Amino acid sequence: MPIHSRLPRRVCFSSLVMAATCAALSAATWELLWAADPPQKTRRQKVLEDRERALAEDFWIYNDLPRAFAEARRSGKPLLVVLRCLPCEECVKLDDELVDRDPTLRPLLAQFVCARVVGTNGLDLATFQYDTDQSFAVFMLHGDGTIYGRFGTRSHRTEWLGDVSLPGLAQALTGALALHADYPANRASLAAKRGAPPLFASPELFPSLKDKFTAQLDYDGAVEQSCIHCHQIGDAQRDYYRQRREPLPESVLYPYPHPKTLGLVFDPDQMATLSSVAPGSWGAEAGFQTGDRWLRMAGQPLVSIADIQWVLQQTPAAGGTIAVDVERSGQRQTINLALPAHWRRQGDLSWRASSWTLRRMTTGGLVLEPATPEQRQAAGIADGNMALRVQYMGEYGEHGAGKRAGFQVDDLLVEIDGRTDLHRESDLFAYGMRERQAGDTLDVGVRRGAEQLRLVLPMQP
């Protein structure tokens, strides 16, 4: 019996890889592996071995998008592009599981021209626009560049359970194949799946990356250091506005809002089916119900949660109304989702890889979390009043600025520049990135035990 038939289908990809590995090794083999202490491979070795393995398998077109598009046009097949950087080991685990001979996925993958992109150097950002805080992003396209859909989302720093699954990926692939079969009759409904022109055509053209990277990976040199990782694109976007001393657009600060921001939780095993709706949320106010299957959003067909996030990303920060076509109990209806001004600000930024850059810019390396009820009570801070606890402090460079300014672990930030409404670390990020510039300082009220202090926190580039 294949190992995947013995495992729960709704588990994270890396767990499946580990389970498959464990099942393939005998107890005696494991004892030998544990007894031995093999030397750790360098990052360069991991990158080169990944390339050799992919080329030997001869299933994926490896890091060659022009060839992949040409093959899709020649064959008439749709194109599947998996974006994941190296040597990000978590991304490798995800992609290795995708390559594995999954009994459901493999026949679906065989109907696509499959390409793996392991570095974003030279990536066409007009076509490949996605949440750069993802470590695994999938595009399904026509050979002419028309996008059928996207796959890959997350709402936690390390956990994928609840956001993606192998059955969900199979559903997305099936949906893309159906759209491909209807193409070009459905071309008009797919047009909005491409966004506005990007700030720069490809990552290495951003000012903060231009002198450090080229359009190609350097396999003959320090290949692991020549790679532009996904999160570096997001960092470069933020740096662009910061260096121009412009407020960070909310679409950049709060990219690709997760449906949870709207009170909507989708079943990761399905294309776009609601598993719960939070009472009192914007989703509940619109009239969505558990079990609703979303068919179209703003006129665009949906194949995954990532497609929903794409539509939300295109929705202005000023708010608006989005028409959603749903199927409920076998009947189709249209529900209008109304979003108020600054609706994006409900999103949580602290889980994102980009939060480390935001901390450098706005908190001097302080990692903050809301104080617990016990911590509030001990400090005499009433419920509802601002109280951000210093959970951790950076030690060096710009990430040590908070420590050098006198902050300590367990300090409670209770007021910043006269404001007491910054209840989350994300709120402070937004304040620092939209209302303050590098070189400014924040006047911070601090509770340290029984002491009440005022400290000055510098804003950094």
Side-chain angles (χ1 to χ4, degrees):
M1 180 183 294
I3 185 166
H4 293 304
S5 65
R6 302 196 303 269
L7 290 170
R9 298 288 290 161
R10 187 174 164 183
V11 296
C12 66
F13 296 107
S14 55
S15 296
L16 284 172
V17 173
M18 182 60 72
T21 303
C22 293
L25 296 176
S26 67
T29 304
W30 273 114
E31 290 179 5
L32 289 174
L33 288 176
W34 281 113
D37 188 16
Q40 295 294 316
K41 293 179 181 179
T42 66
R43 297 173 70 191
R44 175 178 171 78
Q45 286 175 312
K46 294 176 183 178
V47 174
L48 296 178
E49 287 179 4
D50 177 80
R51 183 191 189 201
E52 291 174 2
R53 181 173 59 253
L55 294 176
E57 289 172 349
D58 197 29
F59 180 80
W60 295 81
I61 295 176
Y62 192 82
N63 232 34
D64 191 344
L65 282 176
R67 177 189 162 198
F69 274 103
E71 178 60 21
R73 292 191 295 269
R74 185 200 67 77
S75 66
K77 289 183 176 182
L79 175 61
L80 177 76
V81 178
V82 175
L83 299 171
R84 54 93 170 164
C85 295
L86 281 176
C88 176
E89 296 187 4
E90 286 305 310
C91 305
V92 173
K93 289 177 182 178
L94 293 169
D95 201 41
D96 284 346
E97 178 54 32
L98 181 62
V99 175
D100 194 34
R101 302 300 189 265
D102 181 82
T104 302
L105 282 181
R106 192 66 177 191
L108 293 170
L109 293 174
Q111 299 179 61
F112 289 82
V113 173
C114 297
R116 292 167 63 184
V117 178
V118 299
T120 66
N121 307 59
L123 187 67
D124 174 14
L125 295 180
T127 300
F128 295 98
Q129 297 180 12
Y130 62 104
D131 185 349
T132 58
D133 278 313
Q134 301 297 327
S135 56
F136 178 79
V138 178
F139 279 74
M140 292 147 278
L141 314 95
H142 189 275
D144 65 7
T146 298
I147 297 171
Y148 295 132
R150 296 165 170 82
F151 180 85
T153 187
R154 66 194 298 180
S155 57
H156 190 275
R157 187 179 303 277
T158 57
E159 296 295 331
W160 286 70
L161 186 63
D163 283 326
V164 294
S165 71
L166 290 180
L169 177 55
Q171 290 278 326
L173 295 176
T174 300
L177 288 169
L179 292 172
H180 184 69
D182 290 342
Y183 193 80
N186 55 5
R187 186 197 300 266
S189 68
L190 301 171
K193 286 181 176 284
R194 291 179 66 93
L199 288 172
F200 296 92
S202 57
E204 71 280 358
L205 299 179
F206 275 92
S208 61
L209 301 176
K210 192 171 185 179
D211 296 330
K212 302 176 183 178
F213 299 95
T214 67
Q216 301 291 332
L217 290 179
D218 181 14
Y219 279 102
D220 295 324
V223 60
E224 72 280 14
Q225 297 176 13
S226 70
C227 173
I228 302 176
H229 297 282
C230 295
H231 70 86
Q232 289 178 290
I233 301 174
D235 290 343
Q237 289 177 321
R238 288 180 287 274
D239 287 340
Y240 172 80
Y241 291 102
R242 194 71 163 176
Q243 294 302 321
R244 291 164 64 93
R245 301 186 68 80
E246 296 179 6
L248 202 64
E250 289 194 14
S251 60
V252 177
L253 181 60
Y254 299 96
Y256 293 85
H258 198 283
K260 291 178 182 177
T261 303
L262 316 180
L264 302 172
V265 178
F266 286 85
D267 184 345
D269 292 348
Q270 303 297 323
M271 285 188 190
T273 301
L274 280 170
S275 60
S276 67
V277 180
S281 66
W282 294 321
E285 291 177 358
F288 292 107
Q289 297 179 11
T290 298
D292 285 350
R293 180 188 171 199
W294 289 27
L295 306 174
R296 290 175 178 260
M297 189 175 184
Q300 300 175 37
L302 307 173
V303 302
S304 77
I305 301 173
D307 277 348
I308 295 172
Q309 290 180 272
W310 167 257
V311 177
L312 292 175
Q313 176 68 3
Q314 311 311 308
T315 303
T321 300
I322 308 171
V324 183
D325 297 333
V326 305
E327 182 180 69
R328 178 184 296 170
S329 301
Q331 301 295 317
R332 295 193 177 191
Q333 59 179 289
T334 299
I335 297 176
N336 291 318
L337 173 63
L339 298 177
H342 306 301
W343 60 276
R344 290 176 180 263
R345 297 183 184 181
Q346 295 299 314
D348 177 27
L349 303 177
S350 61
W351 67 266
R352 293 177 170 272
S354 58
S355 65
W356 193 239
T357 300
L358 295 174
R359 290 186 185 99
R360 183 200 78 216
M361 294 177 173
T362 61
T363 73
L366 303 180
V367 179
L368 305 169
E369 64 178 3
T372 65
E374 294 76 15
Q375 291 163 347
R376 286 176 170 275
Q377 184 177 14
I381 301 173
D383 291 344
N385 289 354
M386 175 178 166
L388 284 173
R389 172 181 169 265
V390 179
Q391 178 187 11
Y392 172 84
M393 294 191 302
E395 295 283 337
Y396 308 106
E398 293 177 326
H399 281 92
K403 180 178 181 179
R404 292 191 294 274
F407 290 88
Q408 297 180 12
V409 171
D410 290 331
D411 280 352
L412 299 180
L413 281 57
V414 296
E415 178 250 311
I416 295 176
D417 286 349
R419 295 185 59 163
T420 58
D421 59 342
L422 306 178
H423 297 285
R424 305 176 303 160
E425 188 180 48
S426 294
D427 299 333
L428 179 50
F429 290 160
Y431 176 67
M433 295 302 295
R434 291 191 53 80
E435 301 186 40
R436 290 291 180 266
Q437 296 292 338
D440 292 346
T441 58
L442 303 183
D443 179 40
V444 185
V446 175
R447 293 279 183 90
R448 182 178 297 164
E451 294 184 85
Q452 298 188 34
L453 309 174
R454 299 215 70 85
L455 298 175
V456 176
L457 185 63
M459 298 288 95
Q460 302 182 114

